[in-house]
Structures are given as C-alpha cells and as structure tokens.
Amino acid sequence: TTSPLGTGIFFIAIAVPFLAMGRSLELWDYVFSALKIVLYIVLIIVGIAVIIPGNPSLAASREAFAPHILYGFGPILFSLAAFSIVPELKRTPQGVSKTIVYAQISMVILYLLFALLFAGVILGDGSITINGWQRRLVDGAGLISVYTPSLMFSWVGYDLFTKDLGFKPLHAKLLIIAIPLLLFVMGMSQFSFIVGVTGGVFLAAIGMLIMQMYHVVFPNNHTVAVR
C-alpha cells in the first residue's frame, strides 16, 4: 500500500484498541508480544538457513550504518523499554524481578542474533535487499515489533498525563491521539526518526528519573553508579 494509507491504517490500529479496550489493552499486547517472539525465532532460523549462506560479507552493512551510528541510541532504548523499576521500589510478589531480568536477557539475545544474521540485508536507510517471502517475513516482524510497544506506550502516556500531571481522562486520551497526528502533519513520517527523537529524549529522561527515584529510596546503595 502507499505510505500515507499504511500510516493511517497503523494509526487506527493503535487508536481504536487504546480508546475502546482500556486496561484490557494489556491482554491484547500479550497476544502480539507472543507473535513477535515467534516471528523473530522464525527469522533467526531463516537467517541461519538462507540469509547467511547467500550473504557472507558484512562490509556493506558497516558502511551503511557508520554515518548514522548515533541514530541508534533512541531505537535501542525503545527496543529495551520493557524494564521496570517497580520491584526495586516496593514489595512485589516473589520472582517478579527475576522474570523481568529473564525477559530482558531473552530480548537482547533475540535482537542480537537478528542483527548479526541480517547485517547487510537491512541497510542503514531502512531499505531491504531481499524480496519475496523473506521480505514479507521481515516486514511482518518489523510491523509487530513497532505495534506492541506503541500499544503500551499509549497507555503509559495516558497514565503519565492522568496520574502524574493531573489531567482529566478525556483530555489525556485526546493528547495521546493528537500527538502522533501532529508529528505526521509536521512531516515526521519516518518511523526511525520519530523513534530516535522520542527514545533519545523521552526514554533517556525516564532513565534519569528512575535513577533519582532509586537514590531517594535507597540513598546509600550504589551511590557512585546512580550519580
């Protein structure tokens, strides 16, 4: 489909569940997260069996990414945004902290294997050098990878506006819906650019806030590292 139409469909696919499902949005996210993991495992198998034998050189990918290496900061934070500080700051059921750690390690391994196997196939400008069913598989994994965090970030943003800043629920929902539309109207239609900005600024700021929270709750623990 065309880029504007695809963007519109994607926006509707985010907005409708966000407005209609409320807290049950988390279950919706579980389904797509499971699908994402399955797709990445399939991609890794395809990479080992098909991509690597047909693409022995990694030089092209190094040249493509080198001029844009700093752009990776935001997307990396975006990809690893499943962390939670809650088990550190309050009492939670036993095993929650370990579950979060295991989830993070699993995602790092999946992303690392994917990056190594598809180096030179997905270039720095976002272009993909393969076609056919392999291209569709990569497209599908990319779409689901973007969809799942977008769902939950919409609800995180809603909680931020209502619980932290005191906005009324209706106003918070309107802001969550309006901000992406505003970005597109301003011409920010490239997802990697939007992720680079939001990930680099918003998520990095959250990271600093979490460190400050840790310092307040545990003033004598890991003081040098926190500061």
Side-chain angles (χ1 to χ4, degrees):
T1 184
T2 62
S3 181
L5 178 59
T7 299
I9 293 172
F10 184 83
F11 175 74
I12 292 171
I14 294 289
V16 171
F18 169 69
L19 294 173
M21 298 181 71
R23 292 290 176 184
S24 58
L25 190 67
E26 190 172 0
L27 178 60
W28 189 256
D29 179 64
Y30 286 159
V31 173
F32 282 95
S33 293
L35 178 59
K36 175 172 67 174
I37 292 173
V38 170
L39 280 172
Y40 268 99
I41 291 173
V42 171
L43 278 171
I44 288 169
I45 295 172
V46 169
I48 294 173
V50 181
I51 302 297
I52 289 297
N55 180 50
S57 174
L58 302 181
S61 66
R62 290 196 189 99
E63 292 173 5
F65 276 105
H68 311 288
I69 194 70
L70 291 178
Y71 291 177
F73 177 64
I76 288 170
L77 288 179
F78 189 90
S79 300
L80 301 178
F83 65 81
S84 175
I85 196 65
V86 173
E88 287 286 338
L89 297 178
K90 58 191 293 188
R91 292 180 180 178
T92 55
Q94 189 175 7
V96 172
S97 298
K98 289 183 179 180
T99 300
I100 292 171
V101 171
Y102 293 153
Q104 285 297 92
I105 291 174
S106 299
M107 291 311 299
V108 167
I109 292 173
L110 279 176
Y111 280 125
L112 183 60
L113 285 173
F114 173 77
L116 290 174
L117 293 170
F118 285 81
V121 174
I122 303 174
L123 302 182
D125 60 357
S127 59
I128 301 174
T129 62
I130 53 175
N131 294 300
W133 64 272
Q134 298 172 34
R135 170 67 178 267
R136 295 304 174 204
L137 193 60
V138 172
D139 287 343
L143 183 62
I144 298 298
S145 296
V146 173
Y147 186 69
T148 47
S150 298
L151 277 176
M152 292 315 298
F153 276 165
S154 65
W155 199 257
V156 168
Y158 174 79
D159 278 348
L160 173 70
F161 286 134
T162 56
K163 295 180 179 179
D164 297 332
L165 301 178
F167 281 54
K168 294 181 179 180
L170 177 61
H171 296 165
K173 286 187 176 181
L174 288 175
L175 274 173
I176 294 298
I177 297 299
I179 290 174
L181 285 177
L182 179 62
L183 290 175
F184 289 126
V185 169
M186 293 170 62
M188 297 183 186
S189 58
Q190 187 178 354
F191 181 78
S192 59
F193 177 76
I194 295 175
V195 169
V197 173
T198 56
V201 178
F202 180 65
L203 292 178
I206 288 179
M208 295 176 193
L209 179 61
I210 287 173
M211 298 299 277
Q212 181 62 24
M213 292 162 62
Y214 192 94
H215 177 66
V216 171
V217 177
F218 306 107
N220 299 318
N221 291 2
H222 309 294
T223 305
V224 175
V226 170
R227 292 200 178 279

